[in-house]
Amino acid sequence: SELKYHPESALGYSYWVCQTLSSSEEGELLLSPSGLTLNPSAHQGLVQSRDEAVRYVLRNPQDACGLNLLGLLYEQERLLGPAERALEQSMLLLAEEGSSSSPYLIQVMTNYARLLSSTGKHSKSLDLYQTLNTTNISLQHALALFRAGKFQEANSAYKEMLTSCDPDKKPHLLLASALTSLADKDTEECKSQLFKVFQTPPPLLYGLISLAAFAGYSGDITLSQATLNEVAKIIEWDVVSVKHLHPSCHKALKSIIKYLSQKEEASQCCDTVKLILNKLPVYDDITMEPTTQDIIEVIMRQSPDESLCTLQKLVHMYPDNVWVWSLLPYLLIVLGKRRDIALTYLKLLSFKVQVSLDEIHHHGNQLLQVKTNKLQSLKLLNSWINQMKTSLQ
């Protein structure tokens, strides 16, 4: 029954959920122990508010406010396709009303431009930001420039924001400028900005790890060791920062071992990295587009059923990621669902991948060696690999 359903309450609840999740202080209270996803009760509230927003929009399809909130809720769930459609429709409705300068239309356009950048539609996103024509460039606009490969423009934007930002935001903007310089292959500027991060209070764990990784990449063992010592100190007392540390920091730390492991004089440096990694939480959530090794590292720790759930989520989040699809057949073998392998490889074939199938097979075998030792499964898989190679020729 829908006798107790109140459209205005549904809209108000959706607004409150969006406001809470966008608040850095309140939003952090809703995170899971990994610090990357919502805890179960908070996620349930997000799903409930999204369902209520869907019902509201079905009854009021011309309500731009409802569509905007629905788009933001979809975005929080990483359902970017529906989010894009909802925000676009909201923007078009407001534009039709002739309120081209209304603050709400500007806010919806900003939301839509941010989402377009997230989905890789860089040109359309930047055109929209240009249309907004605001006096001061926003952080999201600078990020959109970076994603579009316009590194010099993005760096100029970050440096412009540094002139008038709050002290707490300064280390973050310096780090963004440093990484943008690195993407632009300006290593000297990158190093200079990373040193500024190191010298700017409060200490920023991301900046210190980035400096240690940069030093390791450059072969500067002394600098890398000194920075890692500072990281180790922070990890001992700053439990909150460690809890919410992004998985990209794991990659940065592991890169130090990768570049320095062959140098005898760097053994202490590598030992410090391993010590730090042991104190960091283990993430089973992949929240950014993963590499093959990212996927393997996660599912190696899971049961076959849990591994299948992880891959299914990733397929929905990143349907164009060939590595997610390519590992599914190997896991389906373990679960005994062999007839599904043909459909999965047909999907893989549709990508017309440039990736070597031998490389795919190598990673898949890593998975099989841990999950199963069935000789028949390997023979079956090899037959499908051969068919796949024939189809691609």
Side-chain angles (χ1 to χ4, degrees), residues 192-205:
S192 171
Q193 295 295 77
L194 286 174
F195 268 119
K196 290 180 183 178
V197 177
F198 184 81
Q199 296 164 353
T200 304
L204 181 63
L205 201 52

Side-chain angles (χ1 to χ4, degrees), residues 11 90 164 167 205 214 238-239 249 311 336 339 342 358 374:
L11 204 61
S90 175
S164 59
L205 201 52
F214 178 83
D238 194 349
V239 179
C249 289
L311 287 180
R339 283 182 292 181
D358 289 327
K374 297 176 183 176

Side-chain angles (χ1 to χ4, degrees), residues 233-304:
K233 289 177 186 177
I234 293 175
I235 285 176
E236 288 294 334
W237 60 267
D238 194 349
V239 179
V240 176
S241 294
V242 172
K243 177 183 175 183
H244 294 163
L245 204 60
H246 198 273
S248 58
C249 289
H250 285 68
K251 292 184 179 180
L253 288 166
K254 289 176 181 178
S255 71
I256 299 174
I257 298 177
K258 176 182 176 182
Y259 287 111
L260 298 183
S261 58
Q262 305 300 321
K263 299 181 180 181
E264 291 184 12
E265 64 272 25
S267 59
Q268 185 183 352
C269 202
C270 294
D271 289 341
T272 306
V273 173
K274 291 173 184 176
L275 183 66
I276 293 170
L277 286 170
N278 288 335
K279 293 184 178 181
L280 296 182
V282 176
Y283 300 112
D284 281 344
D285 296 302
I286 300 177
T287 56
M288 56 185 177
E289 186 156 2
T291 64
T292 318
Q293 204 55 44
D294 292 330
I295 303 169
I296 290 173
E297 285 181 10
V298 169
I299 62 182
M300 287 299 190
R301 298 190 294 268
Q302 300 175 331
S303 70

Side-chain angles (χ1 to χ4, degrees), residues 75-92:
E75 185 182 14
Q76 285 288 344
E77 292 186 274
R78 303 192 193 95
L79 300 173
L80 301 184
E84 182 182 334
R85 290 190 290 273
L87 290 172
E88 182 181 27
Q89 185 62 21
S90 175
M91 185 182 69
L92 292 174

Side-chain angles (χ1 to χ4, degrees), residues 196-234:
K196 290 180 183 178
V197 177
F198 184 81
Q199 296 164 353
T200 304
L204 181 63
L205 201 52
Y206 291 101
L208 293 174
I209 291 174
S210 298
L211 178 57
F214 178 83
Y217 173 76
S218 306
D220 190 337
I221 299 168
T222 304
L223 175 59
S224 187
Q225 181 64 60
T227 313
L228 287 169
N229 289 339
E230 292 299 316
V231 172
K233 289 177 186 177
I234 293 175

